[in-house]
Amino acid sequence: MKLFITGICGFVGSTLTKALLDHKADLAITGIDNLSRSGSWLNREILTKQGVKVVHGDIRNASDLEANGPFDWVIDCAANPSVLAGVDGQSSSRQLIDHNLGGTINLLEACKRWNAGFILLSTSRVYSIPPLAQLKVEVHDRAFRPCVADSSSWPVGLSEQGISEAFSKAPPISLYGSTKLASETLALEYGLTFEFPVWINRCGVLAGAGQFGHPGQGIFAFWIHSFKEKRPLKYIGFGGKGYQVRDCLHPQDLVSLLEKQFSEPLVTNKPRTVNLSGGVSNSMSLRQLSDWCEDRFGANKVVQTDTERPFDIAWMVLDSTKATNVWGWKPQTSIYDVLREIAEFAEGQKDWCQISAS
């Protein structure tokens, strides 16, 4: 089987590639990356040694795809993943849209040409912000959780297990979220129109060893590396206590589902879109994460601030019950195993935040 993986030198793309190679011996993998992230060249060297063909190119340029292929499947891991992208001054709104949406369009045109299946790794940020921002929460063990006493007024798609696929996707969802939701819609339309398989996998916070030390790349790795390097941190918003919660998922846990999606017939009753996450049992607040880091690395400065940021949400945990019921999928790596993996990697690095932060 021939796979084409975009963003292959990023954390998710490279980790997923290594996991796929470990699980399937009959894979020929080609990947593309523009190598714009600091530290991405390190993954390029590792992947090349594993027999992966890494193309230096940009999915925003259709011509960079034309010299490649055909392939059986395209897995799209390339994205500007920050919810603040396009509004934080680090990238323009046009750059965000060209990358996250324009790049998807070029890939879908390539899938049509190659007759290849398409798998999009999407995000929890396609879900509507206002009902989540207005959700009444309570503090339990240094972490927010939805107030159970208020459950009768919870919006459709929200339960104690998290946010399901039925939750509203009405705007605002951020520019980042809208590019991913638009990509989802286009991908499904292309698949139906040109008769190639499409799967949309909406992921929670992906984390693991080798993730770049930048908050937009993944809060768990950023926090752990910052603690290890004694870099000051901030609790931002929600009273500055650090009670905001996210779930955690290791990219290697996607492989068992991808293998089933590769094998599924084109005509199927299975839903094309599912949530994939660590769920409530693999979620944690920043305050809890700080306590874990302090036990491992010792004390570090964490400043409490009242600064509020746009699009921030106190509790964001995806409910992957549908993926379990339909595919038999469950996360295999516990959040504490993920944290230990990141910490062990951090202990073997020097100045990882500086190397990989830009």
Side-chain angles (χ1 to χ4, degrees):
M1 183 184 295
K2 296 180 180 179
L3 302 183
F4 188 68
I5 299 179
T6 70
I8 196 167
C9 293
F11 163 68
V12 175
S14 62
T15 304
L16 192 58
T17 298
K18 296 168 195 172
L20 283 164
L21 290 171
D22 287 342
H23 280 75
K24 289 180 70 69
D26 62 341
L27 293 180
I29 299 181
T30 299
I32 189 170
D33 203 291
N34 63 15
L35 302 177
S36 63
R37 302 276 182 196
S38 294
S40 58
W41 62 86
L42 300 173
N43 288 329
R44 183 183 191 180
E45 294 175 7
I46 295 170
L47 293 168
T48 300
K49 289 178 181 177
Q50 292 182 303
V52 176
K53 180 182 178 182
V54 179
V55 176
H56 184 194
D58 198 315
I59 62 171
R60 291 173 291 186
N61 300 323
S63 59
D64 286 356
L65 302 174
E66 290 173 357
N68 297 285
F71 299 99
D72 298 304
W73 285 89
V74 173
I75 304 176
D76 187 11
C77 303
N80 185 330
S82 173
V83 72
L84 296 176
V87 297
D88 61 358
Q90 302 300 310
S91 62
S92 72
S93 54
R94 182 56 185 263
Q95 286 175 318
L96 171 70
I97 293 168
D98 284 349
H99 197 293
N100 289 4
L101 182 55
T104 300
I105 294 170
N106 289 336
L107 290 172
L108 292 169
E109 285 289 328
C111 286
K112 181 179 70 171
R113 186 167 63 251
W114 297 330
N115 194 30
F118 181 74
I119 296 176
L120 174 65
L121 297 191
S122 193
T123 173
S124 60
R125 284 300 193 159
V126 300
Y127 295 113
S128 186
I129 291 172
L132 290 170
Q134 295 161 14
L135 180 66
K136 186 176 180 180
V137 293
E138 59 189 8
V139 178
H140 174 75
D141 189 24
R142 298 156 296 137
F144 287 134
R145 67 181 182 184
C147 185
V148 177
D150 199 46
S151 61
S152 61
S153 64
W154 287 353
V156 173
L158 179 70
S159 72
E160 291 182 65
Q161 299 306 310
I163 300 159
S164 78
E165 296 85 352
F167 197 88
S168 171
K169 291 168 283 294
I173 57 175
S174 78
L175 284 176
Y176 163 67
S178 66
T179 62
K180 299 303 285 186
L181 186 59
S183 292
E184 290 184 10
T185 302
L186 275 174
L188 292 169
E189 290 291 346
Y190 262 76
L192 289 168
T193 302
F194 301 110
E195 298 184 332
F196 60 83
V198 171
W199 302 106
I200 310 296
N201 297 328
R202 293 178 184 152
C203 300
V205 177
L206 294 163
Q211 194 165 22
F212 302 149
H214 185 281
Q217 297 290 300
I219 193 63
F220 292 100
F222 169 70
W223 213 258
I224 290 172
H225 281 284
S226 296
F227 251 86
K228 185 264 180 181
E229 296 179 18
K230 303 303 179 187
R231 290 172 172 259
L233 292 162
K234 294 180 181 179
Y235 294 136
I236 300 175
F238 309 107
K241 301 294 186 181
Y243 294 154
Q244 54 265 55
V245 169
R246 298 293 184 268
D247 65 78
C248 178
L249 178 66
H250 199 294
Q252 68 189 11
D253 289 352
L254 300 175
V255 171
S256 62
L257 175 61
L258 295 180
E259 290 178 335
K260 292 178 180 179
Q261 290 175 332
F262 293 154
S263 302
E264 187 68 15
L266 176 61
V267 179
T268 178
N269 292 325
K270 287 185 169 63
R272 293 289 175 182
T273 302
V274 292
N275 289 344
L276 302 175
S277 79
V280 173
S281 61
N282 291 298
S283 64
M284 183 177 281
S285 72
L286 284 180
R287 179 65 178 275
Q288 292 169 327
L289 181 57
S290 291
D291 291 345
W292 187 93
C293 289
E294 188 166 332
D295 288 342
R296 178 96 185 203
F297 300 112
N300 189 42
K301 184 178 181 181
V302 184
V303 178
Q304 297 185 5
T305 75
D306 292 325
T307 303
E308 299 293 338
R309 295 186 304 185
F311 315 127
D312 218 349
I313 293 168
W315 186 84
M316 174 65 86
V317 176
L318 287 186
D319 177 7
S320 55
T321 298
K322 180 180 285 187
T324 301
N325 292 341
V326 172
W327 295 101
W329 179 88
K330 290 183 179 180
Q332 299 299 310
T333 311
S334 77
I335 188 170
Y336 292 104
D337 286 340
V338 175
L339 300 185
R340 282 190 288 269
E341 179 186 286
I342 298 170
E344 288 169 5
F345 177 84
E347 288 163 347
Q349 306 299 315
K350 183 180 180 181
D351 299 326
W352 183 251
C353 289
Q354 181 177 342
I355 291 171
S356 65
S358 63

Short mmCIF file of all heavy atoms in Angstrom, two decimals, residues 46-92:
data_model
loop_
_atom_site.label_atom_id
_atom_site.label_comp_id
_atom_site.label_asym_id
_atom_site.label_seq_id
_atom_site.Cartn_x
_atom_site.Cartn_y
_atom_site.Cartn_z
N ILE A 46 15.39 11.39 10.68
CA ILE A 46 14.96 10.11 11.26
C ILE A 46 14.11 9.33 10.26
O ILE A 46 14.29 8.12 10.07
CB ILE A 46 14.18 10.36 12.56
CG1 ILE A 46 15.11 10.97 13.62
CG2 ILE A 46 13.56 9.07 13.07
CD1 ILE A 46 14.38 11.48 14.85
N LEU A 47 13.16 10.01 9.63
CA LEU A 47 12.27 9.34 8.69
C LEU A 47 13.01 8.81 7.47
O LEU A 47 12.73 7.70 6.99
CB LEU A 47 11.17 10.30 8.25
CG LEU A 47 10.16 10.71 9.34
CD1 LEU A 47 9.31 11.87 8.86
CD2 LEU A 47 9.28 9.53 9.73
N THR A 48 13.95 9.58 6.97
CA THR A 48 14.73 9.15 5.80
C THR A 48 15.50 7.87 6.11
O THR A 48 15.57 6.96 5.28
CB THR A 48 15.69 10.27 5.37
OG1 THR A 48 14.94 11.45 5.03
CG2 THR A 48 16.51 9.84 4.17
N LYS A 49 16.04 7.78 7.32
CA LYS A 49 16.77 6.57 7.71
C LYS A 49 15.84 5.36 7.81
O LYS A 49 16.30 4.22 7.70
CB LYS A 49 17.46 6.81 9.05
CG LYS A 49 18.64 7.77 8.97
CD LYS A 49 19.26 8.00 10.33
CE LYS A 49 20.43 8.99 10.25
NZ LYS A 49 21.01 9.28 11.59
N GLN A 50 14.54 5.61 8.01
CA GLN A 50 13.57 4.51 8.09
C GLN A 50 13.01 4.14 6.72
O GLN A 50 12.10 3.32 6.63
CB GLN A 50 12.43 4.89 9.02
CG GLN A 50 12.85 4.99 10.49
CD GLN A 50 11.67 5.31 11.39
OE1 GLN A 50 10.99 6.32 11.23
NE2 GLN A 50 11.42 4.43 12.37
N GLY A 51 13.55 4.73 5.67
CA GLY A 51 13.13 4.39 4.32
C GLY A 51 11.97 5.19 3.79
O GLY A 51 11.40 4.86 2.74
N VAL A 52 11.59 6.25 4.50
CA VAL A 52 10.49 7.11 4.06
C VAL A 52 11.03 8.15 3.09
O VAL A 52 12.07 8.77 3.34
CB VAL A 52 9.83 7.81 5.26
CG1 VAL A 52 8.75 8.78 4.80
CG2 VAL A 52 9.26 6.77 6.23
N LYS A 53 10.34 8.36 2.00
CA LYS A 53 10.71 9.42 1.06
C LYS A 53 10.08 10.72 1.52
O LYS A 53 8.86 10.83 1.61
CB LYS A 53 10.23 9.08 -0.35
CG LYS A 53 10.59 10.16 -1.38
CD LYS A 53 10.05 9.81 -2.76
CE LYS A 53 10.37 10.92 -3.76
NZ LYS A 53 9.82 10.62 -5.11
N VAL A 54 10.91 11.70 1.84
CA VAL A 54 10.41 12.98 2.32
C VAL A 54 10.65 14.04 1.24
O VAL A 54 11.79 14.31 0.85
CB VAL A 54 11.10 13.42 3.63
CG1 VAL A 54 10.59 14.77 4.08
CG2 VAL A 54 10.87 12.37 4.72
N VAL A 55 9.57 14.61 0.75
CA VAL A 55 9.63 15.64 -0.28
C VAL A 55 9.57 17.01 0.38
O VAL A 55 8.68 17.27 1.21
CB VAL A 55 8.45 15.49 -1.26
CG1 VAL A 55 8.45 16.62 -2.29
CG2 VAL A 55 8.49 14.13 -1.94
N HIS A 56 10.53 17.87 0.05
CA HIS A 56 10.48 19.25 0.54
C HIS A 56 9.57 20.04 -0.40
O HIS A 56 9.93 20.36 -1.53
CB HIS A 56 11.88 19.86 0.57
CG HIS A 56 11.92 21.24 1.15
ND1 HIS A 56 13.01 22.07 1.02
CD2 HIS A 56 11.00 21.95 1.86
CE1 HIS A 56 12.77 23.22 1.64
NE2 HIS A 56 11.55 23.16 2.15
N GLY A 57 8.36 20.30 0.06
CA GLY A 57 7.39 21.01 -0.77
C GLY A 57 6.28 21.57 0.09
O GLY A 57 6.28 21.42 1.32
N ASP A 58 5.33 22.21 -0.54
CA ASP A 58 4.26 22.90 0.18
C ASP A 58 2.93 22.55 -0.47
O ASP A 58 2.75 22.76 -1.67
CB ASP A 58 4.49 24.42 0.13
CG ASP A 58 3.70 25.17 1.19
OD1 ASP A 58 2.50 24.87 1.36
OD2 ASP A 58 4.28 26.06 1.84
N ILE A 59 1.98 22.04 0.33
CA ILE A 59 0.69 21.63 -0.23
C ILE A 59 -0.11 22.82 -0.74
O ILE A 59 -1.09 22.65 -1.46
CB ILE A 59 -0.14 20.82 0.77
CG1 ILE A 59 -0.47 21.64 2.03
CG2 ILE A 59 0.58 19.53 1.14
CD1 ILE A 59 -1.47 20.96 2.95
N ARG A 60 0.29 24.04 -0.38
CA ARG A 60 -0.39 25.22 -0.92
C ARG A 60 -0.06 25.41 -2.40
O ARG A 60 -0.76 26.14 -3.10
CB ARG A 60 0.01 26.46 -0.12
CG ARG A 60 -0.54 26.48 1.29
CD ARG A 60 -0.01 27.64 2.10
NE ARG A 60 1.42 27.47 2.39
CZ ARG A 60 2.12 28.29 3.18
NH1 ARG A 60 1.54 29.34 3.73
NH2 ARG A 60 3.41 28.05 3.40
N ASN A 61 1.01 24.78 -2.87
CA ASN A 61 1.41 24.85 -4.27
C ASN A 61 1.02 23.55 -4.96
O ASN A 61 1.64 22.51 -4.74
CB ASN A 61 2.92 25.06 -4.38
CG ASN A 61 3.38 26.34 -3.71
OD1 ASN A 61 2.68 27.36 -3.76
ND2 ASN A 61 4.55 26.30 -3.09
N ALA A 62 0.01 23.62 -5.81
CA ALA A 62 -0.47 22.41 -6.48
C ALA A 62 0.64 21.73 -7.27
O ALA A 62 0.69 20.50 -7.38
CB ALA A 62 -1.64 22.75 -7.39
N SER A 63 1.55 22.54 -7.82
CA SER A 63 2.64 21.97 -8.63
C SER A 63 3.58 21.10 -7.81
O SER A 63 4.23 20.20 -8.35
CB SER A 63 3.43 23.09 -9.31
OG SER A 63 3.98 23.97 -8.35
N ASP A 64 3.64 21.33 -6.48
CA ASP A 64 4.50 20.50 -5.64
C ASP A 64 3.94 19.10 -5.48
O ASP A 64 4.66 18.18 -5.06
CB ASP A 64 4.66 21.14 -4.25
CG ASP A 64 5.58 22.35 -4.27
OD1 ASP A 64 6.15 22.65 -5.33
OD2 ASP A 64 5.73 23.00 -3.21
N LEU A 65 2.67 18.92 -5.79
CA LEU A 65 2.05 17.59 -5.69
C LEU A 65 2.08 16.84 -7.02
O LEU A 65 2.01 15.61 -7.04
CB LEU A 65 0.59 17.73 -5.23
CG LEU A 65 0.35 18.44 -3.89
CD1 LEU A 65 -1.15 18.61 -3.66
CD2 LEU A 65 0.98 17.66 -2.74
N GLU A 66 2.21 17.57 -8.11
CA GLU A 66 2.05 16.97 -9.43
C GLU A 66 3.14 15.97 -9.78
O GLU A 66 2.92 15.04 -10.55
CB GLU A 66 1.97 18.07 -10.49
CG GLU A 66 0.67 18.87 -10.40
CD GLU A 66 0.65 20.07 -11.34
OE1 GLU A 66 1.68 20.30 -12.02
OE2 GLU A 66 -0.38 20.77 -11.38
N ALA A 67 4.34 16.16 -9.21
CA ALA A 67 5.44 15.25 -9.53
C ALA A 67 5.40 13.98 -8.71
O ALA A 67 6.27 13.11 -8.86
CB ALA A 67 6.78 15.97 -9.31
N ASN A 68 4.41 13.85 -7.84
CA ASN A 68 4.32 12.69 -6.96
C ASN A 68 3.11 11.83 -7.32
O ASN A 68 2.22 12.26 -8.04
CB ASN A 68 4.21 13.15 -5.51
CG ASN A 68 5.42 13.91 -5.06
OD1 ASN A 68 6.47 13.33 -4.79
ND2 ASN A 68 5.30 15.23 -4.97
N GLY A 69 3.10 10.63 -6.78
CA GLY A 69 1.95 9.75 -6.96
C GLY A 69 2.11 8.82 -8.14
O GLY A 69 3.13 8.85 -8.84
N PRO A 70 1.12 7.96 -8.36
CA PRO A 70 -0.14 7.89 -7.59
C PRO A 70 0.06 7.18 -6.25
O PRO A 70 1.04 6.48 -6.03
CB PRO A 70 -1.05 7.07 -8.51
CG PRO A 70 -0.10 6.16 -9.24
CD PRO A 70 1.14 6.98 -9.45
N PHE A 71 -0.94 7.38 -5.36
CA PHE A 71 -0.93 6.75 -4.05
C PHE A 71 -2.29 6.12 -3.79
O PHE A 71 -3.29 6.44 -4.44
CB PHE A 71 -0.63 7.79 -2.95
CG PHE A 71 0.71 8.44 -3.11
CD1 PHE A 71 0.81 9.70 -3.70
CD2 PHE A 71 1.86 7.80 -2.69
CE1 PHE A 71 2.05 10.31 -3.86
CE2 PHE A 71 3.10 8.40 -2.84
CZ PHE A 71 3.21 9.65 -3.43
N ASP A 72 -2.32 5.21 -2.82
CA ASP A 72 -3.59 4.58 -2.44
C ASP A 72 -4.38 5.44 -1.46
O ASP A 72 -5.60 5.50 -1.52
CB ASP A 72 -3.33 3.20 -1.84
CG ASP A 72 -2.65 2.26 -2.81
OD1 ASP A 72 -3.21 2.06 -3.91
OD2 ASP A 72 -1.57 1.74 -2.49
N TRP A 73 -3.64 6.09 -0.55
CA TRP A 73 -4.28 6.92 0.47
C TRP A 73 -3.45 8.17 0.74
O TRP A 73 -2.21 8.12 0.72
CB TRP A 73 -4.45 6.16 1.80
CG TRP A 73 -5.54 5.15 1.77
CD1 TRP A 73 -5.45 3.84 1.40
CD2 TRP A 73 -6.92 5.38 2.10
NE1 TRP A 73 -6.67 3.23 1.49
CE2 TRP A 73 -7.60 4.15 1.93
CE3 TRP A 73 -7.64 6.48 2.55
CZ2 TRP A 73 -8.96 4.00 2.18
CZ3 TRP A 73 -8.99 6.34 2.80
CH2 TRP A 73 -9.64 5.12 2.60
N VAL A 74 -4.15 9.26 1.02
CA VAL A 74 -3.53 10.50 1.50
C VAL A 74 -4.02 10.73 2.93
O VAL A 74 -5.23 10.69 3.19
CB VAL A 74 -3.93 11.70 0.62
CG1 VAL A 74 -3.41 13.01 1.24
CG2 VAL A 74 -3.37 11.52 -0.80
N ILE A 75 -3.07 10.94 3.84
CA ILE A 75 -3.41 11.29 5.22
C ILE A 75 -2.94 12.72 5.45
O ILE A 75 -1.74 13.01 5.39
CB ILE A 75 -2.74 10.34 6.24
CG1 ILE A 75 -3.11 8.89 5.93
CG2 ILE A 75 -3.15 10.71 7.66
CD1 ILE A 75 -2.41 7.88 6.83
N ASP A 76 -3.87 13.60 5.71
CA ASP A 76 -3.56 15.03 5.82
C ASP A 76 -3.30 15.41 7.27
O ASP A 76 -4.22 15.57 8.07
CB ASP A 76 -4.71 15.87 5.25
CG ASP A 76 -4.36 17.34 5.18
OD1 ASP A 76 -3.17 17.69 5.36
OD2 ASP A 76 -5.26 18.16 4.93
N CYS A 77 -2.02 15.55 7.61
CA CYS A 77 -1.60 15.98 8.95
C CYS A 77 -1.08 17.41 8.94
O CYS A 77 -0.61 17.89 9.99
CB CYS A 77 -0.49 15.06 9.48
SG CYS A 77 -0.90 13.32 9.54
N ALA A 78 -1.11 18.08 7.81
CA ALA A 78 -0.54 19.42 7.69
C ALA A 78 -1.56 20.46 8.07
O ALA A 78 -2.70 20.44 7.58
CB ALA A 78 -0.07 19.67 6.26
N ALA A 79 -1.19 21.36 8.96
CA ALA A 79 -2.10 22.44 9.34
C ALA A 79 -1.34 23.44 10.19
O ALA A 79 -0.33 23.12 10.82
CB ALA A 79 -3.29 21.92 10.12
N ASN A 80 -1.84 24.66 10.20
CA ASN A 80 -1.47 25.59 11.25
C ASN A 80 -2.44 25.30 12.39
O ASN A 80 -3.62 25.61 12.29
CB ASN A 80 -1.62 27.03 10.78
CG ASN A 80 -1.12 28.03 11.81
OD1 ASN A 80 -1.17 27.78 13.01
ND2 ASN A 80 -0.64 29.17 11.33
N PRO A 81 -1.97 24.68 13.50
CA PRO A 81 -2.91 24.10 14.46
C PRO A 81 -3.36 25.02 15.59
O PRO A 81 -4.09 24.58 16.48
CB PRO A 81 -2.08 22.94 15.04
CG PRO A 81 -0.68 23.46 15.03
CD PRO A 81 -0.57 24.32 13.80
N SER A 82 -2.96 26.27 15.59
CA SER A 82 -3.30 27.14 16.71
C SER A 82 -4.65 27.80 16.52
O SER A 82 -4.96 28.35 15.45
CB SER A 82 -2.23 28.23 16.88
OG SER A 82 -2.64 29.16 17.86
N VAL A 83 -5.47 27.78 17.58
CA VAL A 83 -6.78 28.43 17.52
C VAL A 83 -6.64 29.94 17.40
O VAL A 83 -7.58 30.63 16.96
CB VAL A 83 -7.62 28.06 18.75
CG1 VAL A 83 -7.10 28.74 20.00
CG2 VAL A 83 -9.09 28.39 18.53
N LEU A 84 -5.47 30.48 17.74
CA LEU A 84 -5.22 31.92 17.62
C LEU A 84 -4.59 32.28 16.28
O LEU A 84 -4.31 33.46 16.03
CB LEU A 84 -4.32 32.40 18.76
CG LEU A 84 -4.91 32.27 20.17
CD1 LEU A 84 -3.88 32.68 21.21
CD2 LEU A 84 -6.16 33.12 20.32
N ALA A 85 -4.36 31.29 15.43
CA ALA A 85 -3.74 31.56 14.13
C ALA A 85 -4.57 32.55 13.34
O ALA A 85 -5.80 32.48 13.31
CB ALA A 85 -3.58 30.26 13.35
N GLY A 86 -3.89 33.48 12.70
CA GLY A 86 -4.56 34.49 11.88
C GLY A 86 -4.99 35.73 12.63
O GLY A 86 -5.36 36.73 12.02
N VAL A 87 -4.95 35.68 13.98
CA VAL A 87 -5.37 36.83 14.77
C VAL A 87 -4.33 37.21 15.83
O VAL A 87 -4.51 38.21 16.53
CB VAL A 87 -6.73 36.57 15.47
CG1 VAL A 87 -7.82 36.37 14.44
CG2 VAL A 87 -6.65 35.39 16.42
N ASP A 88 -3.26 36.41 15.96
CA ASP A 88 -2.28 36.66 17.01
C ASP A 88 -1.05 37.43 16.54
O ASP A 88 -0.12 37.67 17.31
CB ASP A 88 -1.83 35.33 17.64
CG ASP A 88 -1.16 34.40 16.62
OD1 ASP A 88 -1.10 34.77 15.43
OD2 ASP A 88 -0.73 33.30 17.03
N GLY A 89 -1.04 37.84 15.26
CA GLY A 89 0.09 38.59 14.74
C GLY A 89 1.24 37.71 14.29
O GLY A 89 2.20 38.21 13.69
N GLN A 90 1.18 36.40 14.54
CA GLN A 90 2.25 35.49 14.13
C GLN A 90 2.06 35.01 12.70
O GLN A 90 3.02 34.63 12.03
CB GLN A 90 2.30 34.29 15.08
CG GLN A 90 2.52 34.65 16.54
CD GLN A 90 3.82 35.39 16.77
OE1 GLN A 90 4.88 34.96 16.32
NE2 GLN A 90 3.74 36.52 17.45
N SER A 91 0.83 34.98 12.24
CA SER A 91 0.53 34.63 10.86
C SER A 91 -0.71 35.41 10.45
O SER A 91 -1.53 35.78 11.29
CB SER A 91 0.27 33.12 10.71
OG SER A 91 -0.84 32.72 11.48
N SER A 92 -0.85 35.65 9.16
CA SER A 92 -1.99 36.42 8.70
C SER A 92 -3.19 35.51 8.48
O SER A 92 -3.06 34.28 8.35
CB SER A 92 -1.65 37.13 7.38
OG SER A 92 -1.58 36.19 6.31
#
